[in-house]
Amino acid sequence: MTLQLLVIEDSQLDYDMLVARLALQGLAAHARRVESGPQLRQALADQAWDIVVSDHHMPGFSSHEAFDIVRELADKPPFIIVSG
């Protein structure tokens, strides 16, 4: 089974490290990175996600805003906030 992973992250390097870490643990993931509210809304409209992982502090977009967007879904995926 491949995990459908949506990552809200402004750093490409941090995103790459997260996906690589999952692969090292034997978790296959189809991952997508977004970094703004409009991108998040589009990704949520495009497909269902097994889990959403969000950076806490990003320029112009916060994990609180991201959580509010995900919370609007009828079928809410788990939402994890990571920081530093």
Side-chain angles (χ1 to χ4, degrees), residues 2 53 71:
T2 301
V53 175
R71 191 170 56 177

Side-chain angles (χ1 to χ4, degrees), residues 2 6 10 16-18 20-22 25 38 46 58 63-65 67 70 73 75:
T2 301
L6 181 57
D10 62 323
D16 291 340
M17 288 188 335
L18 172 64
R21 184 66 152 181
L22 291 172
Q25 298 300 315
D46 288 346
M58 295 173 287
S63 61
H64 299 289
E65 292 169 295
F67 180 73
V70 172
L73 298 174
D75 188 19

